[in-house]
Amino acid sequence: MRAREDARQDGKAAKVRLNAVLLRQDIRYEGRATWGPAPRRWLAAVVCPTPAQPIVFQEYVRAVSEHTERRPRREAELQTQVQTWRWAPVVEAMQALRGVQFTVAVTVIAELGALSRFDHPRQLLSYLGLVPSEHPSGERRRQGAIPKTGNAPARRALIEGAWAYRSPAKVSRPLQLRLEKVPTAIQDLSGKAQVRLCTRSRRVVARGKNVTQVVGASARELAAFVGASARTVTGARLG
């Protein structure tokens, strides 16, 4: 999982370097800022003004291609490895939650391991760095941003999944296919999570809260539902 994340970060850095090479020569892509077939065709037609520049340019294009190909290879291998992993049932149960797709579920379990080692959900949230910071002054208690301590990959994965709850509650076709593979208790938990998080997210946004704050709050609750999913499958106690 970490190797996949390394490939993603390396690919992102390679694209930044390639863009920098082009911008130094004032060569700009006028289409959409994506790395699909159209930009690749455009890159193949780029003509650099001096003999040395094409060498550098092609090296950076090759680096982008290599890192782009590494990521799906590692994702495919990950799918194979998880099938025989002892945490495979927990990964499958977690995917019943909206926003928690395969990579998010595997990242969380690979980083956290047995969730039963946390005696209470607050300990899990603290380990993830999702508990708001506090600034007490006398009898007053003011909460601030999350401290971003603890396990960064798992926290980042949960925040990524929490963005899905900004939209109204619904069961998409991919989510329905994942729900069909899990017990009724997990399906009920998924529905409860959707109703609670989607409703709360819209209500807090309507009060004028910053979107990132809303997503952070949703990630905290999503982490609690993740723990509940693991407890339902393994029978381990969490809180």
Side-chain angles (χ1 to χ4, degrees):
M1 199 65 230
R2 290 179 178 177
R4 172 195 173 275
E5 179 62 19
D6 288 342
R8 188 185 72 84
Q9 294 288 352
D10 292 344
K12 184 177 179 180
K15 292 173 184 177
V16 170
R17 297 188 189 103
L18 176 58
N19 280 329
V21 169
L22 294 173
L23 289 175
R24 282 196 291 269
Q25 307 304 321
D26 198 27
I27 301 174
R28 303 172 185 272
Y29 177 59
E30 302 296 337
R32 297 181 61 186
T34 60
W35 289 88
R40 291 182 180 277
R41 288 194 296 269
W42 177 80
L43 286 172
V46 169
V47 177
C48 297
T50 68
Q53 289 167 355
I55 300 173
V56 177
F57 172 70
Q58 290 301 328
E59 286 291 334
Y60 281 113
V61 170
R62 192 176 300 113
V64 171
S65 299
E66 290 174 355
H67 293 309
T68 302
E69 293 167 1
R70 279 169 56 201
R71 183 174 171 181
R73 284 202 309 268
R74 292 179 178 179
E75 288 177 349
E77 184 61 32
L78 194 61
Q79 291 276 359
T80 303
Q81 294 293 328
V82 169
Q83 292 178 7
T84 56
W85 195 24
R86 66 188 179 110
W87 296 114
V90 179
V91 170
E92 188 173 66
M94 286 174 57
Q95 291 182 77
L97 296 168
R98 182 181 181 181
V100 183
Q101 299 181 5
F102 179 75
T103 54
V104 174
V106 175
T107 298
V108 172
I109 295 301
E111 294 292 338
L112 301 184
L115 297 181
S116 58
R117 63 195 180 96
F118 300 102
D119 294 329
H120 194 277
R122 290 194 190 93
Q123 293 182 359
L124 171 60
L125 298 180
S126 179
Y127 181 82
L128 290 168
L130 289 172
V131 179
S133 58
E134 293 188 4
H135 306 280
S137 177
E139 297 182 356
R140 299 181 62 182
R141 173 175 168 270
R142 183 170 65 87
Q143 290 186 330
I146 59 176
K148 295 184 180 179
T149 57
N151 192 290
R155 179 178 63 252
R156 185 166 56 246
L158 288 169
I159 290 175
E160 178 184 331
W163 279 93
Y165 293 95
R166 291 188 60 214
S167 303
K170 68 174 183 179
V171 178
S172 63
R173 178 60 178 167
L175 178 57
Q176 180 61 43
L177 293 176
R178 301 201 300 268
L179 286 170
E180 292 174 357
K181 300 178 182 178
V182 298
T184 304
I186 299 294
Q187 296 179 18
D188 295 341
L189 190 65
S190 174
K192 181 180 178 181
Q194 275 224 59
V195 172
R196 179 178 174 83
L197 271 66
C198 292
T199 302
R200 187 170 185 268
S201 178
R202 292 199 306 273
R203 185 171 63 246
V204 175
V205 168
R207 294 207 304 261
K209 286 290 186 180
N210 184 279
V211 174
T212 55
Q213 292 179 316
V214 175
V215 173
S218 297
R220 283 195 293 274
E221 296 211 29
L222 180 59
F225 279 107
V226 163
S229 298
R231 183 176 68 245
T232 302
V233 174
T234 63
R237 186 175 184 275
L238 180 65

